[in-house]
Amino acid sequence: MISAIANLITGGIDAYKQHGINQANELKRQDELKQEQHIAKVKRLQSGDEKAADLDRVSLKERGLKDEFILLVVFVPLILSFIPDYAAYVREGFNALKFVPEYYWYIVGAVVIDTFGFRSMVRYILEFFSFQFSGGMKSDEIKN
């Protein structure tokens, strides 16, 4: 009778130890899986950054009249706003821009980004904010 109780107790202790080992192994597998997911995510980000940087270099090599046109469109109103005779026209122009549809501003932004070769910067900003809003990893966690 005593040996049966002793076997029952040692069997219970062995089962408890095995349960602890199983939990430790499961945690280890989860950590390894998270680490592999992190490494894969970092590789995807690095690959995307390199591709965006390559596209930016191509854009910078093929600069043309469109770049000068965009510079004029951006800076002429700024310069004219310092000339008293033209400041009122600039103000009226900016008031008129309040009625431009939102989708059009996205198109203008895309054209400027493409022309000046800011793809890699925009990609970084979009990824940073997507991680922030999704509750994912922060950008400094990605670098580590």
Side-chain angles (χ1 to χ4, degrees):
M1 172 92 168
I2 292 179
S3 65
I5 293 174
N7 285 339
L8 185 62
I9 291 173
T10 56
I13 292 172
D14 289 341
Y16 180 74
K17 286 180 183 177
Q18 187 61 45
H19 177 70
I21 291 170
N22 290 345
Q23 282 186 328
N25 288 339
E26 182 179 346
L27 286 174
K28 184 178 178 183
R29 285 191 302 272
Q30 287 176 354
D31 287 343
E32 289 172 352
L33 179 63
K34 285 181 183 178
Q35 180 65 25
E36 290 300 320
Q37 289 173 340
H38 173 72
I39 290 170
K41 203 176 276 189
V42 168
K43 285 181 182 177
R44 283 194 308 272
L45 290 174
Q46 289 172 342
S47 172
D49 285 345
E50 290 169 6
K51 289 177 185 173
D54 289 342
L55 287 172
D56 289 345
R57 279 192 282 280
V58 168
S59 290
L60 292 174
K61 285 181 183 177
E62 297 177 2
R63 290 194 147 197
L65 291 176
K66 64 180 180 177
D67 297 341
E68 283 75 21
F69 175 75
I70 289 178
L71 285 172
L72 281 173
V73 168
V74 169
F75 287 106
V76 165
L78 180 67
I79 294 167
L80 289 178
S81 63
F82 287 100
I83 302 172
D85 292 341
Y86 295 101
Y89 293 112
V90 172
R91 192 175 315 110
E92 288 176 29
F94 280 112
N95 285 334
L97 290 176
K98 292 178 184 176
F99 301 103
V100 173
E102 186 176 346
Y103 69 88
Y104 186 79
W105 289 117
Y106 291 118
I107 294 170
V108 170
V111 168
V112 170
I113 287 167
D114 180 60
T115 301
F116 289 131
F118 293 145
R119 288 181 199 87
S120 57
M121 179 183 70
V122 171
R123 178 180 171 82
Y124 173 78
I125 291 169
L126 290 175
E127 288 171 350
F128 175 79
F129 283 111
S130 70
F131 281 122
Q132 293 296 319
F133 291 124
S134 69
M137 294 180 295
K138 294 183 176 43
S139 62
D140 53 334
E141 291 175 353
I142 293 172
K143 292 177 185 173
N144 293 335

